[in-house]
Tab-separated table of all heavy atoms in Angstrom:
chain	number	residue	atom	x	y	z
A	515	ASP	N	0.852	-1.185	0.000
A	515	ASP	CA	0.000	0.000	0.000
A	515	ASP	C	0.889	1.235	0.000
A	515	ASP	O	1.381	1.647	1.056
A	515	ASP	CB	-0.899	-0.047	1.231
A	515	ASP	CG	-1.861	1.124	1.321
A	515	ASP	OD1	-1.817	2.011	0.436
A	515	ASP	OD2	-2.646	1.162	2.284
A	516	LEU	N	1.093	1.843	-1.163
A	516	LEU	CA	2.010	2.971	-1.263
A	516	LEU	C	1.565	4.152	-0.419
A	516	LEU	O	2.402	4.948	0.029
A	516	LEU	CB	2.152	3.407	-2.726
A	516	LEU	CG	2.778	2.388	-3.685
A	516	LEU	CD1	2.840	2.959	-5.101
A	516	LEU	CD2	4.163	1.981	-3.228
A	517	ALA	N	0.289	4.292	-0.188
A	517	ALA	CA	-0.209	5.433	0.579
A	517	ALA	C	0.148	5.336	2.056
A	517	ALA	O	0.220	6.363	2.743
A	517	ALA	CB	-1.726	5.557	0.424
A	518	HIS	N	0.401	4.109	2.537
A	518	HIS	CA	0.601	3.928	3.971
A	518	HIS	C	1.858	3.134	4.328
A	518	HIS	O	2.247	3.099	5.495
A	518	HIS	CB	-0.614	3.215	4.584
A	518	HIS	CG	-1.913	3.931	4.354
A	518	HIS	ND1	-2.774	3.591	3.338
A	518	HIS	CD2	-2.472	4.993	4.981
A	518	HIS	CE1	-3.830	4.395	3.368
A	518	HIS	NE2	-3.663	5.252	4.342
A	519	ASP	N	2.482	2.499	3.370
A	519	ASP	CA	3.596	1.591	3.631
A	519	ASP	C	4.887	2.193	3.081
A	519	ASP	O	5.142	2.162	1.871
A	519	ASP	CB	3.313	0.240	2.980
A	519	ASP	CG	4.363	-0.813	3.295
A	519	ASP	OD1	5.417	-0.463	3.878
A	519	ASP	OD2	4.143	-1.995	2.946
A	520	MET	N	5.738	2.714	3.967
A	520	MET	CA	6.977	3.349	3.533
A	520	MET	C	7.891	2.367	2.815
A	520	MET	O	8.550	2.721	1.819
A	520	MET	CB	7.708	3.949	4.739
A	520	MET	CG	9.051	4.581	4.400
A	520	MET	SD	8.922	6.037	3.333
A	520	MET	CE	8.429	7.271	4.560
A	521	LEU	N	7.961	1.132	3.286
A	521	LEU	CA	8.859	0.169	2.655
A	521	LEU	C	8.420	-0.146	1.230
A	521	LEU	O	9.259	-0.377	0.348
A	521	LEU	CB	8.939	-1.114	3.481
A	521	LEU	CG	9.579	-0.964	4.866
A	521	LEU	CD1	9.625	-2.309	5.575
A	521	LEU	CD2	10.974	-0.365	4.765
A	522	ALA	N	7.106	-0.145	0.974
A	522	ALA	CA	6.638	-0.348	-0.397
A	522	ALA	C	7.085	0.802	-1.294
A	522	ALA	O	7.447	0.590	-2.456
A	522	ALA	CB	5.113	-0.466	-0.417
A	523	VAL	N	7.087	2.012	-0.763
A	523	VAL	CA	7.547	3.166	-1.544
A	523	VAL	C	9.049	3.068	-1.793
A	523	VAL	O	9.530	3.319	-2.902
A	523	VAL	CB	7.195	4.486	-0.830
A	523	VAL	CG1	7.698	5.685	-1.635
A	523	VAL	CG2	5.688	4.595	-0.619
A	524	LEU	N	9.814	2.691	-0.775
A	524	LEU	CA	11.261	2.580	-0.930
A	524	LEU	C	11.636	1.462	-1.895
A	524	LEU	O	12.709	1.493	-2.505
A	524	LEU	CB	11.913	2.341	0.427
A	524	LEU	CG	11.847	3.516	1.409
A	524	LEU	CD1	12.443	3.112	2.756
A	524	LEU	CD2	12.563	4.742	0.858
A	525	ALA	N	10.761	0.469	-2.064
A	525	ALA	CA	11.039	-0.639	-2.972
A	525	ALA	C	10.779	-0.278	-4.434
A	525	ALA	O	11.124	-1.062	-5.324
A	525	ALA	CB	10.202	-1.856	-2.583
A	526	LEU	N	10.192	0.882	-4.703
A	526	LEU	CA	9.863	1.255	-6.084
A	526	LEU	C	11.097	1.364	-6.963
A	526	LEU	O	11.056	1.078	-8.162
A	526	LEU	CB	9.114	2.592	-6.101
A	526	LEU	CG	7.673	2.592	-5.598
A	526	LEU	CD1	7.147	4.021	-5.532
A	526	LEU	CD2	6.792	1.730	-6.494
A	527	GLY	N	12.196	1.825	-6.407
A	527	GLY	CA	13.397	2.006	-7.206
A	527	GLY	C	13.384	3.301	-7.987
A	527	GLY	O	12.401	4.069	-7.958
A	528	THR	N	14.463	3.539	-8.713
A	528	THR	CA	14.657	4.833	-9.381
A	528	THR	C	13.522	5.175	-10.328
A	528	THR	O	13.021	6.301	-10.328
A	528	THR	CB	16.006	4.827	-10.135
A	528	THR	OG1	17.060	4.527	-9.212
A	528	THR	CG2	16.265	6.189	-10.764
A	529	ASP	N	13.107	4.221	-11.155
A	529	ASP	CA	12.029	4.513	-12.114
A	529	ASP	C	10.728	4.826	-11.391
A	529	ASP	O	9.999	5.757	-11.763
A	529	ASP	CB	11.841	3.326	-13.064
A	529	ASP	CG	13.008	3.153	-14.016
A	529	ASP	OD1	13.790	4.112	-14.177
A	529	ASP	OD2	13.141	2.050	-14.594
A	530	GLY	N	10.421	4.054	-10.367
A	530	GLY	CA	9.193	4.296	-9.622
A	530	GLY	C	9.212	5.632	-8.904
A	530	GLY	O	8.196	6.337	-8.849
A	531	TRP	N	10.356	5.994	-8.330
A	531	TRP	CA	10.448	7.295	-7.655
A	531	TRP	C	10.288	8.444	-8.648
A	531	TRP	O	9.698	9.471	-8.317
A	531	TRP	CB	11.778	7.401	-6.914
A	531	TRP	CG	11.948	6.370	-5.842
A	531	TRP	CD1	10.970	5.825	-5.051
A	531	TRP	CD2	13.167	5.716	-5.467
A	531	TRP	NE1	11.498	4.892	-4.204
A	531	TRP	CE2	12.849	4.795	-4.424
A	531	TRP	CE3	14.485	5.813	-5.889
A	531	TRP	CZ2	13.804	4.003	-3.815
A	531	TRP	CZ3	15.455	5.017	-5.288
A	531	TRP	CH2	15.111	4.118	-4.268
A	532	SER	N	10.800	8.255	-9.850
A	532	SER	CA	10.626	9.288	-10.888
A	532	SER	C	9.155	9.443	-11.238
A	532	SER	O	8.648	10.571	-11.379
A	532	SER	CB	11.425	8.926	-12.144
A	532	SER	OG	12.811	8.932	-11.878
A	533	ARG	N	8.434	8.331	-11.388
A	533	ARG	CA	6.997	8.412	-11.669
A	533	ARG	C	6.258	9.069	-10.519
A	533	ARG	O	5.345	9.874	-10.725
A	533	ARG	CB	6.440	7.004	-11.928
A	533	ARG	CG	6.933	6.381	-13.225
A	533	ARG	CD	6.124	5.138	-13.581
A	533	ARG	NE	6.316	4.069	-12.613
A	533	ARG	CZ	7.274	3.145	-12.689
A	533	ARG	NH1	8.156	3.184	-13.683
A	533	ARG	NH2	7.352	2.192	-11.785
A	534	LEU	N	6.653	8.727	-9.307
A	534	LEU	CA	6.017	9.311	-8.131
A	534	LEU	C	6.265	10.818	-8.073
A	534	LEU	O	5.353	11.608	-7.775
A	534	LEU	CB	6.573	8.636	-6.881
A	534	LEU	CG	5.813	8.817	-5.575
A	534	LEU	CD1	4.400	8.268	-5.688
A	534	LEU	CD2	6.561	8.131	-4.435
A	535	SER	N	7.475	11.231	-8.378
A	535	SER	CA	7.812	12.642	-8.371
A	535	SER	C	6.977	13.418	-9.380
A	535	SER	O	6.463	14.510	-9.092
A	535	SER	CB	9.301	12.825	-8.664
A	535	SER	OG	9.664	14.188	-8.628
A	536	ARG	N	6.804	12.843	-10.562
A	536	ARG	CA	5.981	13.510	-11.576
A	536	ARG	C	4.523	13.576	-11.145
A	536	ARG	O	3.818	14.552	-11.422
A	536	ARG	CB	6.113	12.782	-12.916
A	536	ARG	CG	7.487	12.919	-13.568
A	536	ARG	CD	7.456	12.448	-15.016
A	536	ARG	NE	7.151	11.025	-15.138
A	536	ARG	CZ	8.060	10.055	-15.111
A	536	ARG	NH1	9.348	10.354	-14.975
A	536	ARG	NH2	7.708	8.789	-15.245
A	537	ALA	N	4.066	12.536	-10.446
A	537	ALA	CA	2.658	12.477	-10.052
A	537	ALA	C	2.289	13.540	-9.025
A	537	ALA	O	1.128	13.974	-8.971
A	537	ALA	CB	2.330	11.088	-9.514
A	538	ILE	N	3.248	13.962	-8.196
A	538	ILE	CA	2.915	14.946	-7.162
A	538	ILE	C	3.206	16.378	-7.592
A	538	ILE	O	2.877	17.319	-6.863
A	538	ILE	CB	3.652	14.647	-5.844
A	538	ILE	CG1	5.174	14.817	-6.002
A	538	ILE	CG2	3.296	13.262	-5.325
A	538	ILE	CD1	5.925	14.703	-4.690
A	539	GLU	N	3.816	16.549	-8.785
A	539	GLU	CA	4.194	17.896	-9.217
A	539	GLU	C	3.003	18.843	-9.270
A	539	GLU	O	3.116	20.006	-8.899
A	539	GLU	CB	4.872	17.834	-10.590
A	539	GLU	CG	6.327	17.435	-10.535
A	539	GLU	CD	6.976	17.431	-11.906
A	539	GLU	OE1	6.273	17.740	-12.903
A	539	GLU	OE2	8.179	17.119	-11.992
A	540	GLY	N	1.866	18.373	-9.741
A	540	GLY	CA	0.721	19.271	-9.883
A	540	GLY	C	-0.205	19.302	-8.694
A	540	GLY	O	-1.267	19.938	-8.762
A	541	LEU	N	0.162	18.643	-7.604
A	541	LEU	CA	-0.719	18.577	-6.439
A	541	LEU	C	-0.354	19.643	-5.411
A	541	LEU	O	0.824	19.877	-5.137
A	541	LEU	CB	-0.643	17.194	-5.793
A	541	LEU	CG	-1.071	16.012	-6.666
A	541	LEU	CD1	-0.909	14.707	-5.889
A	541	LEU	CD2	-2.513	16.176	-7.138
A	542	GLU	N	-1.360	20.250	-4.841
A	542	GLU	CA	-1.146	21.203	-3.758
A	542	GLU	C	-0.679	20.456	-2.514
A	542	GLU	O	-1.120	19.327	-2.252
A	542	GLU	CB	-2.426	21.976	-3.456
A	542	GLU	CG	-2.846	22.939	-4.547
A	542	GLU	CD	-1.844	24.070	-4.703
A	542	GLU	OE1	-1.330	24.562	-3.673
A	542	GLU	OE2	-1.560	24.451	-5.860
A	543	PRO	N	0.200	21.042	-1.744
A	543	PRO	CA	0.673	20.355	-0.532
A	543	PRO	C	-0.419	20.255	0.513
A	543	PRO	O	-1.416	20.988	0.466
A	543	PRO	CB	1.820	21.244	-0.050
A	543	PRO	CG	1.503	22.596	-0.594
A	543	PRO	CD	0.837	22.356	-1.925
A	544	ASN	N	-0.240	19.354	1.449
A	544	ASN	CA	-1.170	19.261	2.573
A	544	ASN	C	-1.182	20.579	3.329
A	544	ASN	O	-0.137	21.191	3.552
A	544	ASN	CB	-0.754	18.120	3.505
A	544	ASN	CG	-1.003	16.762	2.872
A	544	ASN	OD1	-0.611	16.509	1.744
A	544	ASN	ND2	-1.654	15.887	3.606
A	545	THR	N	-2.346	21.009	3.745
A	545	THR	CA	-2.474	22.317	4.378
A	545	THR	C	-2.081	22.294	5.839
A	545	THR	O	-1.612	23.306	6.374
A	545	THR	CB	-3.907	22.839	4.247
A	545	THR	OG1	-4.812	21.856	4.791
A	545	THR	CG2	-4.252	23.061	2.780
A	546	ALA	N	-2.248	21.166	6.507
A	546	ALA	CA	-1.932	21.107	7.940
A	546	ALA	C	-0.423	21.191	8.123
A	546	ALA	O	0.334	20.399	7.565
A	546	ALA	CB	-2.469	19.824	8.556
A	547	SER	N	0.023	22.160	8.899
A	547	SER	CA	1.463	22.333	9.114
A	547	SER	C	1.987	21.431	10.221
A	547	SER	O	3.145	21.042	10.218
A	547	SER	CB	1.787	23.793	9.460
A	547	SER	OG	1.058	24.195	10.608
A	548	ALA	N	1.144	21.100	11.175
A	548	ALA	CA	1.582	20.281	12.302
A	548	ALA	C	1.327	18.805	12.009
A	548	ALA	O	0.361	18.448	11.343
A	548	ALA	CB	0.853	20.688	13.574
A	549	HIS	N	2.187	17.949	12.494
A	549	HIS	CA	1.996	16.522	12.332
A	549	HIS	C	2.638	15.816	13.523
A	549	HIS	O	3.554	16.325	14.145
A	549	HIS	CB	2.603	16.017	11.022
A	549	HIS	CG	4.072	16.213	10.933
A	549	HIS	ND1	4.638	17.411	10.581
A	549	HIS	CD2	5.109	15.360	11.167
A	549	HIS	CE1	5.958	17.299	10.592
A	549	HIS	NE2	6.263	16.075	10.944
């Protein structure tokens, strides 16, 4: 589950990270500053 599983995201590799980077380019950041 890429939305919740960090290890699944880290397993994507260079090509997957590039796709992920492109996918978030047009998205507004989360508004909540505190976490």
Side-chain angles (χ1 to χ4, degrees):
D515 181 358
L516 296 179
H518 303 97
D519 185 351
M520 177 65 79
L521 294 181
V523 179
L524 292 176
L526 288 173
T528 303
D529 291 343
W531 298 327
S532 295
R533 291 193 294 271
L534 196 60
S535 182
R536 291 193 296 272
I538 66 173
E539 280 182 0
L541 299 179
E542 291 294 321
N544 289 50
T545 55
S547 57
H549 62 279

